[in-house]
Amino acid sequence: MFRTALRNVLAHKARLLMTVLAVMLGVAFVSGTLVFTNTISDAYQNSSAKGFKGVDVAVQAKYQDSKGDQVGKVPDLTQAVLDKAGKVPGAASATGVVSGFTAIADKHGKLIGGGWQSAGGNYWGTKDARYPLVSGHAPSGADQVLIDSKTAERAGYKVGDTVRISVNGPVLTPTIAGIFTTDDGNVTAGGSLALFDTATAQQLFGKKGAYDEIDVTARSGTGQAALKSQLDQALPQKLVETTTGKKLADDQAKQIADGMSGLRQGLLVFAGIALFVGTFIIANTFTMLVAQRTKELALLRAVGASRRQVTRSVLIEAFVVGAVAGVTGLAAGIGIGAGLRALMGSFGASVPDGPLVVTPGTVAAALAVGVVITMLAAWLPGRRAAKIPPVAAMSALHSAPTTKSLVLRNTIGALFSAAGVAVILAATTMSGSDGQAPMGLGAVLLIIGVFVLTPLLSRPLIAAAAPLLRGFGVSGKLARQNSVRNPRRTAATASALMIGLTLITGMTVMAGSLQKSIDKMASAAIRADYVVSMANRNPLSPDVAKKVAATDGVTASSPLRNAASRIDGGTEFLTGVDGSAIGKLTDLTVDSGSFKVGGSDVVVDDDTAKSHGWKAGSVFTVHYEDGRAQRLTVAGVYEGNQMIRGIMLDNTTLTPHVTDPADMQVMVKTADGATAATKDRLEKALGSNPAIQVQDKQDLSDSVAQVFTLILNMVYGLLAMAVIVAVLGVINTLAMSVFERSQEIGMLRAIGLDRKAVKRMVRLESLVISLFGGVLGIGLGVFFGWAAGQLVGAKMPTYELVLPWTRMAVFLLLAGTVGILAALWPARRAAKLNMLSAIKSE
């Protein structure tokens, strides 16, 4: 039986090659995902470990819990703490670290590196082991700076050049004193790093003689644990905490691994989809191969082979196919992993250098997936073949599915579909997080139910295409009849396209609806023409608001100043605004009271008011960060949203209680509205600062929607794999149809149907099957998009369903194109059949 199985594998090379391709694509996706995520994770972890190479123990300030109603704070690490740390017996040296956001502009004035990746710090002394100099010398004074070698290379800077830099205030134009190399993960991932001398860094980052961290290196013979113990005894434990370099590296590695897990799971979901779709094709292919060998298997049964041996022979074939596909899929997956890593740059990010990581687990997963999926898909056709009576098989008297089996199938499909719809509808009534799991379960149940019902659905839906097919004469009529002749096989093929288009349509509906809701939110909540903020979302210097207010053409402006406070024993953040201008800059719906901000009058969003039990006229006590208390009155309650929410009070009331005022953004209204000239005037007033963004409503909407667009584009790319697998499925189905109808095609040729008409018949059949799958997929995708939108709408009042009719038409056209392309080879094969040989075939 083993030799027989191997001969059968080699006897049908073309169709087995398509099966191998279907399995290989799924395996390649799984192994490529694992290679990619392992490589990225390993690169970041190695980079992180290098960053802690010179740190044996790190000393950091400990957050001081609030006492009573006073807001907690993080104390400064002073020079006295640094001196104490450097004098412990096991310490070889102690380095004070100062860091903060620093934007470096290229020679065209544009920001280098993305927001949070743009960092700055201090260069310790005249030779800092953390940052080896490639050229130049250590910085000295506020007019000198060092930049990392990768930034210098990208922007074309060299020692002696003047560079535009922004920290948290006006643009600086220091001279590049030197260029250094670094293992900093942000730099290797595309960011930038600027270094000043310590005194300048402390002044720029607002430390005033203090440090963010103290890094201590151990003397020879002193371990990290021993040094940590000495520092714990020497330093005030109430104010500082110590951590070994090894623990810092381990914690960072764990954070990186946790961060990569979400990406890995998301990619593996799509790999599973490709495999799920591929399973249909594999099952179809083995059904076809078994059908071709019905008499052969019957003869084996007649000469003594048992049912189990027949089934085993089919499974052996599947094992060989799965093993070959697993090996080739692994090789292709390594290439996919390398390609995905290279494509990261096109999404605006790069990763640290490092080799491709192919773990034993990846190899095992690729082989296991290839073999197990193929054998599972082949088991049912093999079992069916073994159950055919030898006499019936040798006489070619295969019976059609019984009415009982069809009723059972349709009943099961209806139950699964009804359960899926019920669970999804129930999930739409839940809150966002609570409804996610039930909705996922309902989606799986519904897809399974529709798949089981697809043979039943195929007849009426394909019959609807009859009027269109009549225009193609006999070829069209035969194509319709052929597509419904074996509804189970047609359903399995259409389901492959259905699943891919369901996901693509669902994601498109969600993305379009979210984009619309974001646009509405921006236009509904904000009357301001522009919003000014930092590129990395850090606080702005209060000077920015003053410069904006003094710019020609500005009619109203207000900074949004955040500050922590204590209310009712809990921490609550306050938003300081210009009370006289905020009403001109926002357009918020007031539920009760009036939108009045000034003195002790404040306005509160509805969620905050509900959590405290406030309403218009309520009075509460706020404890500011300086410990002082004040009674405030709720003048009005407004509907909050993702852009504007919280407790608003006048800045003249808030600022005297804030030690270091900083604004999250500045809202601006101008006489000329949002025009290119006005935006240019504002940017120039702010010194053409690369760290500061001046955005109108559309810019705000686009910046938020950019995330959804990026995800959607990635989804389209990933689901292309499922579509490719589906194409193979259509080819297999048509090849099976041509084989089963060889005699019929020979008869049609004999009575006058020419080769062109035969080709047209096969192509139209493929087109009808593909469009059938496309209609089902788009219908399910719209339903899933609507259901997911109900969860989002609970948290986003401006959400509304948007159906992308143009894109859905493109998707349907794509399904038709897939059908036509997939039919090229089977149609050509059918047309080339020798009519006499075909008539004589059994």
Side-chain angles (χ1 to χ4, degrees):
M1 294 302 294
F2 181 75
R3 288 196 299 270
T4 302
L6 288 181
R7 281 199 300 269
N8 286 326
V9 168
L10 299 175
H12 308 284
K13 297 181 181 64
R15 280 182 286 281
L16 280 172
L17 176 62
M18 288 188 287
T19 309
V20 169
L21 284 173
V23 183
M24 186 196 75
L25 286 171
V27 172
F29 208 164
V30 172
S31 54
T33 294
L34 294 175
V35 168
F36 172 66
T37 53
N38 287 336
T39 297
I40 300 299
S41 180
D42 184 73
Y44 275 113
Q45 288 178 14
N46 289 339
S47 176
S48 174
K50 290 177 182 177
F52 295 114
K53 187 176 180 181
V55 182
D56 288 313
V57 178
V59 181
Q60 297 168 321
K62 184 183 294 185
Y63 179 78
Q64 303 299 298
D65 291 331
S66 59
K67 297 179 180 179
D69 289 312
Q70 192 168 355
V71 179
K73 294 182 179 180
V74 178
D76 289 331
L77 293 175
T78 62
Q79 184 65 37
V81 176
L82 175 63
D83 293 339
K84 282 185 180 181
K87 291 177 181 178
V88 299
S93 65
T95 302
V97 178
V98 184
S99 60
F101 170 70
T102 302
I104 304 177
D106 60 20
K107 292 184 177 181
H108 302 288
K110 302 299 182 182
L111 177 67
I112 299 175
W116 59 274
Q117 294 176 317
S118 303
N122 67 311
Y123 189 85
W124 189 253
T126 56
K127 189 175 182 181
D128 193 330
R130 299 173 299 169
Y131 308 110
L133 288 173
V134 176
S135 59
H137 56 81
S140 176
D143 60 344
Q144 292 188 357
V145 68
L146 303 183
I147 64 172
D148 67 271
S149 56
K150 291 196 173 184
T151 298
E153 182 181 352
R154 286 200 301 269
Y157 284 130
K158 60 183 184 296
V159 174
D161 287 348
T162 299
V163 61
R164 292 175 64 81
I165 288 179
S166 174
V167 176
N168 197 27
V171 174
L172 308 174
T173 55
T175 300
I176 298 176
I179 296 172
F180 63 92
T181 59
T182 178
D183 293 321
D184 186 286
N186 285 339
V187 173
T188 54
S192 63
L193 180 61
L195 300 176
F196 307 89
D197 66 47
T198 300
T200 301
Q202 288 175 324
Q203 179 183 356
L204 290 174
F205 300 130
K207 296 304 174 184
K208 301 178 182 178
Y211 304 95
D212 293 302
E213 182 177 302
I214 297 171
D215 293 339
V216 186
T217 56
R219 291 182 183 275
S220 179
T222 303
Q224 291 186 353
L227 178 59
K228 180 180 184 303
S229 178
Q230 293 175 9
L231 289 167
D232 288 341
Q233 294 177 8
L235 301 178
Q237 290 301 294
K238 290 184 178 180
L239 299 178
V240 302
E241 57 185 355
T242 58
T243 311
T244 63
K246 183 179 184 306
K247 188 175 188 309
L248 287 172
D250 291 344
D251 291 345
Q252 184 75 4
K254 186 177 184 302
Q255 289 178 7
I256 292 170
D258 292 343
M260 293 303 298
S261 66
L263 175 62
R264 178 179 302 181
Q265 289 172 5
L267 291 173
L268 285 175
V269 165
F270 290 104
I273 293 167
L275 282 173
F276 186 55
V277 174
T279 302
F280 298 142
I281 287 90
I282 300 164
N284 256 2
T285 302
F286 275 93
T287 299
M288 175 179 65
L289 295 175
V290 169
Q292 287 179 323
R293 291 163 39 215
T294 300
K295 286 193 175 183
E296 175 191 326
L297 295 176
L299 185 59
L300 288 173
R301 291 288 312 282
V303 298
S306 65
R307 287 185 178 182
R308 185 174 297 176
Q309 285 179 309
V310 171
T311 304
R312 192 181 302 148
S313 70
V314 177
L315 291 179
I316 290 171
E317 293 180 46
F319 175 82
V320 174
V321 171
V324 172
V327 173
T328 54
L330 175 62
I334 294 173
I336 289 174
L340 286 174
R341 176 176 169 173
L343 284 174
M344 288 284 284
S346 65
F347 293 139
S350 57
V351 296
D353 297 329
L356 282 176
V357 178
V358 184
T359 64
T362 300
V363 176
L367 295 177
V369 166
V371 172
V372 173
I373 291 294
T374 308
M375 293 184 71
L376 285 176
W379 175 76
L380 187 58
R383 186 168 174 270
R384 283 178 182 165
K387 294 176 77 172
I388 297 174
V391 175
M394 294 179 73
S395 302
L397 298 174
H398 311 306
S399 58
T402 63
T403 303
K404 181 180 177 181
S405 68
L406 292 175
V407 170
L408 178 62
R409 178 182 179 122
N410 293 336
T411 302
I412 293 173
L415 290 174
F416 268 90
S417 299
V421 171
V423 173
I424 290 174
L425 292 178
T428 60
T429 63
M430 303 177 184
S431 62
S433 56
D434 295 337
Q436 289 176 2
M439 185 162 291
L441 173 63
V444 171
L445 291 174
L446 181 55
I447 287 177
I448 293 173
V450 171
F451 169 67
V452 175
L453 282 175
T454 306
L456 178 66
L457 298 173
S458 64
R459 291 185 179 275
L461 288 178
I462 291 177
L468 297 176
L469 294 175
R470 288 197 190 102
F472 295 95
V474 175
S475 296
K477 182 178 180 180
L478 290 172
R480 185 185 65 81
Q481 292 174 346
N482 291 334
S483 59
V484 296
R485 178 176 297 180
N486 191 331
R488 288 184 174 179
R489 189 176 64 228
T490 298
T493 307
S495 296
L497 275 175
M498 178 192 77
I499 293 171
L501 286 178
T502 294
L503 294 167
I504 292 175
T505 304
M507 291 296 296
T508 304
V509 170
M510 281 293 298
S513 301
L514 286 170
Q515 175 68 69
K516 181 71 173 178
S517 65
I518 292 166
D519 290 343
K520 285 181 64 178
M521 190 185 301
S523 60
I526 301 175
R527 286 181 182 168
D529 296 315
Y530 293 100
V531 173
V532 180
S533 62
M534 291 288 282
N536 66 336
R537 304 306 176 193
N538 273 3
L540 290 161
S541 166
D543 291 337
V544 171
K546 296 177 183 176
K547 290 180 179 179
V548 166
T551 303
D552 289 341
V554 173
T555 58
S557 67
S558 173
L560 272 64
R561 184 166 297 168
N562 282 10
S565 70
R566 301 283 290 182
I567 299 174
D568 295 339
T571 300
E572 197 79 60
F573 281 90
L574 307 174
T575 301
V577 298
D578 185 330
S580 61
I582 193 64
K584 304 173 186 176
L585 301 167
T586 59
D587 189 14
L588 299 168
T589 301
V590 179
D591 292 337
S592 62
S594 61
F595 199 82
K596 178 184 177 183
V597 180
S600 61
D601 289 331
V602 302
V603 292
V604 184
D605 72 285
D606 45 4
D607 287 341
T608 303
K610 184 178 180 180
S611 66
H612 288 281
W614 296 337
K615 56 185 179 180
S618 296
V619 178
F620 63 93
T621 301
V622 59
H623 296 266
Y624 298 107
E625 66 176 48
D626 62 358
R628 296 184 181 180
Q630 184 179 2
R631 300 278 286 174
L632 299 177
T633 302
V634 178
V637 177
Y638 66 92
E639 291 183 8
N641 55 54
Q642 276 70 18
M643 292 190 173
I644 301 176
R645 62 175 61 188
I647 303 172
M648 288 190 202
L649 69 163
D650 197 276
N651 273 324
T652 56
T653 303
L654 175 64
T655 304
H657 304 285
V658 180
T659 306
D660 188 15
D663 304 326
M664 295 310 297
Q665 59 186 34
V666 179
M667 303 178 78
V668 187
K669 187 77 174 174
T670 63
D672 298 331
T675 65
T678 303
K679 184 175 183 179
D680 185 62
R681 192 160 57 243
L682 285 169
E683 289 177 341
K684 287 182 178 178
L686 297 172
S688 300
N689 194 322
I692 298 178
Q693 293 179 323
V694 179
Q695 298 175 296
D696 59 21
K697 293 179 184 180
Q698 190 59 49
D699 293 333
L700 287 171
S701 178
D702 291 345
S703 65
V704 177
Q706 185 178 9
V707 178
F708 302 112
T709 303
L710 175 61
I711 294 173
L712 188 63
N713 289 336
M714 290 183 67
V715 168
Y716 284 162
L718 295 171
L719 289 178
M721 186 76 71
V723 173
I724 293 172
V725 175
V727 171
L728 294 175
V730 177
I731 295 173
N732 271 353
T733 298
L734 293 174
M736 181 194 302
S737 180
V738 169
F739 164 76
E740 289 183 349
R741 304 200 315 264
S742 295
Q743 192 176 52
E744 174 191 321
I745 292 172
M747 289 294 294
L748 290 172
R749 290 289 317 283
I751 62 175
L753 196 68
D754 61 16
R755 290 186 174 183
K756 287 185 178 180
V758 171
K759 286 183 180 181
R760 190 182 305 121
M761 175 187 71
V762 177
R763 289 170 185 162
L764 289 173
E765 179 183 348
S766 176
L767 179 63
V768 167
I769 293 173
S770 299
L771 290 177
F772 168 55
V775 169
L776 285 180
I778 292 172
L780 281 175
V782 170
F783 178 68
F784 289 147
W786 167 82
Q790 296 302 301
L791 290 181
V792 175
K795 296 290 185 181
M796 189 178 289
T798 56
Y799 183 87
E800 68 173 81
L801 180 67
V802 175
L803 295 181
W805 295 106
T806 303
R807 289 201 177 189
M808 288 193 293
V810 170
F811 296 156
L812 195 59
L813 181 63
L814 173 65
T817 304
V818 165
I820 293 173
L821 293 176
L824 293 178
W825 177 67
R828 186 169 177 270
R829 186 165 180 258
K832 291 179 68 176
L833 281 175
N834 184 293
M835 67 179 73
L836 295 178
S837 299
I839 291 171
K840 289 191 298 182
S841 66
E842 297 182 5

